[in-house]
Amino acid sequence: MTNDENLRSLLQAVANGNVSLDVALDELKYLAYEPVGEFAKIDNHRTIRTGFPEVIWGPGKTPYQIAQIMETMRLRNSVVMATRIEPEIYAALQPKVRDLRYYESARICAIAPPNLEPRYPGTIGILSAGTADLPVAEEAAVTAELSGFRVQRLWDVGVAGIHRLLSNRRVIANASVLIVVAGMEGALPSVVAGLADCPVIAVPTSIGYGASFGGLAPLLTMLNSCAAGVGVVNIDNGFGAAVLAGQVLRTAEKLRMASSDS
C-alpha cells in the first residue's frame, strides 16, 4: 500500500464489500511506518506523500542493517535503493539480498526489475564537467533511472574545453530539465543555463585543489551564477539533484493533465 493506485483499489474493494475490514486493516497497519528490528523505521507513506519512496543512506549502517531494511522494503516496493555503498559493503550484501544489483560508479545498490522502463514523459539531461565528477553524476543518473525517468548523459564537457560542450548542444536542446555537475571553479552550470530553455540544477562536487575547499568554491560560484534559471543543491548531492529534477517533470505532467481535464 505504498502508492495512490493500490490504496485507492483497496478502499474501493472495502466499499464494494469485496474485502473485509480486518483484511484492510492488516494491509494498512504499516502504512505510516514499519519497524525493522530496533534500528530502523521505514516510512512506507512517503511515496504517497511525495511520489518518491524512501531511499537507504548507506554510510553508518552495517551490512546486516542494510540487508534487513532492503528485505523489508522489497515487500512493498518494486524498486529499493541504497546510496553510497562502497564495493566492500556490496560484497557483504550480495549473499544476504537476492537479485541485488550494483552500480559501481554511482555507488548504488538496488533491487529493481531487470527491464525498468521510463514511467514519466520528458528527459533529464545530465552533464559532468570532468571525468572525476562522474561518481556524483552517475549517482544522479542512476537515481533518476530507478525512479522512472529517461536520462541522457553527457560527460567531460567542462569549460576548459568549451568546444566539447558546444558540439553536443543537442543534449541541452533535447532536455526537459538539466543536471550539471562540476567541481574546480564550478563554472559549467552558468554556461549551460545561458544556452538552455529549461531549469538547470547545479551540483558542486568536492573535486579540486586546496582553494576549492572541498567543494565550497564551486558551490559559491553556482549560487552566484549570472545566468537565470539555476538552482543549486548541496556538495556531491547527485541523489538530491535527481529527485528535484524528477519533481520538476512530475509537476509539469500534473499541470498538463489538469489542463487537459479542464
Side-chain angles (χ1 to χ4, degrees):
M1 288 303 109
T2 56
N3 63 60
D4 287 345
E5 184 178 344
N6 288 344
L7 183 57
R8 186 182 297 274
S9 296
L10 176 64
L11 294 176
Q12 189 63 58
V14 173
N16 294 340
N18 298 325
V19 172
S20 70
L21 289 176
D22 289 339
V23 170
L25 180 61
D26 188 60
E27 289 285 332
L28 294 171
K29 65 182 177 182
Y30 291 125
L31 182 62
Y33 66 86
E34 184 170 359
V36 181
E38 296 182 354
F39 52 82
K41 294 179 177 63
I42 298 171
D43 183 5
N44 290 322
H45 199 266
R46 189 171 304 186
T47 304
I48 298 174
R49 296 196 316 270
T50 71
F52 292 91
E54 187 169 23
V55 171
I56 303 162
W57 169 256
K61 295 182 178 70
T62 67
Y64 170 80
Q65 290 171 334
I66 296 171
Q68 291 296 107
I69 294 169
M70 294 190 89
E71 288 293 352
T72 302
M73 291 181 68
R74 80 185 306 161
L75 300 175
R76 304 179 188 280
N77 298 274
S78 60
V79 174
V80 180
M81 187 170 75
T83 63
R84 301 300 168 95
I85 302 295
E86 300 298 339
E88 61 272 18
I89 300 299
Y90 168 67
L93 287 171
Q94 196 174 19
K96 302 177 188 296
V97 182
R98 60 182 172 83
D99 302 325
L100 187 64
R101 299 162 62 183
Y102 187 49
Y103 303 83
E104 186 172 2
S105 181
R107 294 178 295 169
I108 287 175
C109 275
I111 302 167
N115 299 311
L116 197 62
E117 295 293 332
R119 302 194 309 273
Y120 303 101
T123 299
I124 300 175
I126 306 181
L127 285 62
S128 79
T131 304
D133 300 310
L134 282 187
V136 176
E138 274 293 334
E139 181 181 76
V142 172
T143 297
E145 288 172 336
L146 290 173
S147 299
F149 297 95
R150 182 177 291 101
V151 168
Q152 187 169 14
R153 294 165 169 82
L154 179 59
W155 298 158
D156 197 23
V157 289
V159 297
I162 197 68
H163 56 290
R164 299 172 299 180
L165 175 67
L166 297 178
S167 64
N168 287 278
R169 284 193 60 183
R170 67 185 183 282
V171 176
I172 298 173
N174 293 339
S176 309
V177 58
L178 286 158
I179 296 172
V180 184
V181 183
M184 296 291 188
E185 84 291 357
L188 184 60
S190 290
V191 175
V192 171
L195 301 170
D197 63 353
C198 64
V200 173
I201 301 168
V203 187
T205 72
S206 51
I207 300 301
Y209 292 102
S212 177
F213 298 108
L216 183 59
L219 171 64
L220 293 175
T221 296
M222 294 171 185
L223 288 172
N224 286 284
S225 173
C226 60
V230 177
V232 187
V233 298
N234 207 348
I235 298 167
D236 292 337
N237 192 7
F239 168 79
V243 173
L244 178 54
Q247 292 287 39
V248 169
L249 291 185
R250 290 179 66 250
T251 299
E253 177 64 7
K254 189 186 303 182
L255 291 172
R256 186 194 66 80
M257 294 179 65
S259 176
S260 63
D261 290 342
S262 61

